[in-house]
Amino acid sequence: MAVSRLRADGLVRSRRRVDVRRDVVGAALAIPAVALFLAFAIWPALRVFYFSLYEYSLTAPPEWVGLENFDFLLHSKEFHGVVLNSLFYVGGTYVPSVCLALLLALALRSRMPAAGAVRLLYFVPVAMSWVAVSVIWRLVLQPDGLLNQTLGLDLNWLTSSATARWGLVMMSVWKETGFFLILFLAGLTTIPDDLYEAARVDGCNAWQRFVHVTLPLLKPTTAICSIMAVIRGFQAFSAQYVMTGGGFGTEVVNLFVYKTAFENARMGRASAVAVLMFFLLLVLTLLQLRVFRRDDR
Amino acid sequence: MSRPGANPLALAGRVLVWLVVAAGGVAFAAVLLYAVLSALKPAGQVLAVPLRWFPDPFRWSNLLLPFTETAFARYYLNSTIVGISVTALNVFTCTLAGYSFAKYSYPGRNVAFVVVLATAMVPLEVIYVPLYALVFQLGWVNSFAGLIVPAGTSAFGIFLMRQAIMQVPDELLEAARLDGAGELRSLVQVVVPLVRGPIAALALFIFMTNWDSHLWPLLVGSDDAHTTLPVGLAAMQANNLGATGIPMMMAAAILALLPTLLLFLTLQKRFVQGVAMTAGIR
């Protein structure tokens, strides 16, 4: 969307008389930002590919190993487990979050009493930092904490492989639902009221209006939410780091990269994981841009 | 034909959804209330069975524990320094670049802009190993430079400022030039006052994101002098797993949340716009 607008803008510009001196100043204004990007985003992004082909420990010079890092990862049971943990976290957190957010958005639009207060309650966790939320939820998930006592359970949520991942999922649903709610509420405002009016005149009931008007028109928003969900899920780090340190089936990809690079000083292998993650996130982001472009038209 | 809610079945369905939503809201609120009240309880009451909601008596002095028992004040100061610096740097670099991309044409402009947008696709998580190697070579590990400079600009910010500045009519800039204003002066005196809203949204968003930042500060600011709140909180947590440490940890978590929470409560609308917009480009 941005690119096509840029081109049109450029054409109009080129027909005008060009004031060279002015444009030199104009170009110079972009230098601070572009220089920071080159040094701290693009250069490291290129280096991650380079590192992935080396054995590198920061203190010793890199040593060429070719595709060995990738070969190791693809055959490593531990890495497979890590990927499965991440997939569980992504699916477990975001399927309920996105569904709940959609339900909430619809309820809040339908003149629910105290909608403002309800919205606020769901938004507040979005504004909180992950580490502080993790500290709070450690208490909630204590054996004598809020959750066990409310539900009458007796579980060691964070110190058992059967429950730790579910504890993290619960916490993340609490933290993330509001985020998707924001996106859904934004998406709902793009649906014109006339469409509902028209559907009503045609004799559609609430359910039919939901299925035939709301859902199809919310499709781009739902797609964005799903893609964002997967992207955010694979970026998870703080919750796992604080709550379990990656134990009990909660070691996600990002925590694995951190440990590999900085606890075991295997920067090459960690970079190889990052390369794999790069392609995954790239595909997701390109999908997202596609959905948005279609949305724009 | 039928007004909304006139059909009893539709109304029943709606009320059912409302109830689910309200129940969820209560659960959401319960966690917050539990955290706040736990911060104010005497140590023995935090994990009491059966669950007791209200402290007896309210121990307001618990709120001072993080400051007296740990280097919490230092973490707070560090987070504030880093948060404000990163925010100021972003406002500076993004406004300049947004202005440059919106109002000038020069060879390479489109390429530069597309490259900037493309970097939005590369999350920190993917590049932090080589980024750390770079910062290590620069000698910036355990320094404010390492915490601040790499976060000094953002694709989201440049995109936002470019979109905002494109709305400023060229005629206004021409008029300023006719009055003899240089390029920078017209930016400061004409453009900036007109895009104060987007700048505020950008500042709010960058500050809140930075306040939450954990992984990068853990790598480059782990010595005492440069520990930020998330890193400090995580370390405190690891050292205070016993029941006596819990009220202090809750107090620390609540205190750490306060700045962004207050910002959010006062500037809700801008924050919500910011979230909706970042989803649009990241």
Side-chain angles (χ1 to χ4, degrees), chain A residues 46-88:
Chain A
L46 297 175
R47 293 273 281 182
V48 85
F49 289 92
Y50 167 85
F51 277 2
S52 70
L53 302 174
Y54 284 79
E55 166 94 49
Y56 183 40
S57 70
L58 207 62
T59 43
E63 195 184 312
W64 168 265
V65 294
L67 293 174
E68 202 179 276
N69 288 322
F70 292 96
D71 190 56
F72 173 87
L73 290 170
L74 294 177
H75 292 99
S76 155
K77 282 244 160 57
E78 192 196 353
F79 182 64
H80 295 170
V82 164
V83 172
L84 287 178
N85 289 342
S86 268
L87 287 173
F88 178 90

Side-chain angles (χ1 to χ4, degrees), chain A residues 163-178:
Chain A
T163 51
R165 48 178 66 194
W166 291 105
L168 276 157
V169 156
M170 254 182 283
M171 163 192 161
S172 304
V173 170
W174 185 83
K175 172 92 173 72
E176 294 281 82
T177 298

Side-chain angles (χ1 to χ4, degrees), chain B residues 163-229:
Chain B
Q163 297 303 96
I165 293 173
M166 283 196 337
Q167 315 287 320
V168 175
D170 286 340
E171 290 76 15
L172 280 179
L173 295 174
E174 290 300 335
R177 280 177 191 132
L178 284 178
D179 288 346
E183 302 306 308
L184 274 178
R185 237 182 94 192
S186 46
L187 171 64
V188 174
Q189 294 187 340
V190 179
V191 175
V192 168
L194 290 172
V195 295
R196 259 180 304 186
I199 288 181
L202 169 66
L204 174 72
F205 209 71
I206 297 289
F207 184 82
M208 291 181 81
T209 317
N210 190 266
W211 197 262
D212 186 22
S213 174
H214 177 213
L215 177 55
W216 183 247
L218 177 66
L219 296 177
V220 298
S222 52
D223 73 345
D224 288 342
H226 301 95
T227 301
T228 58
L229 273 173

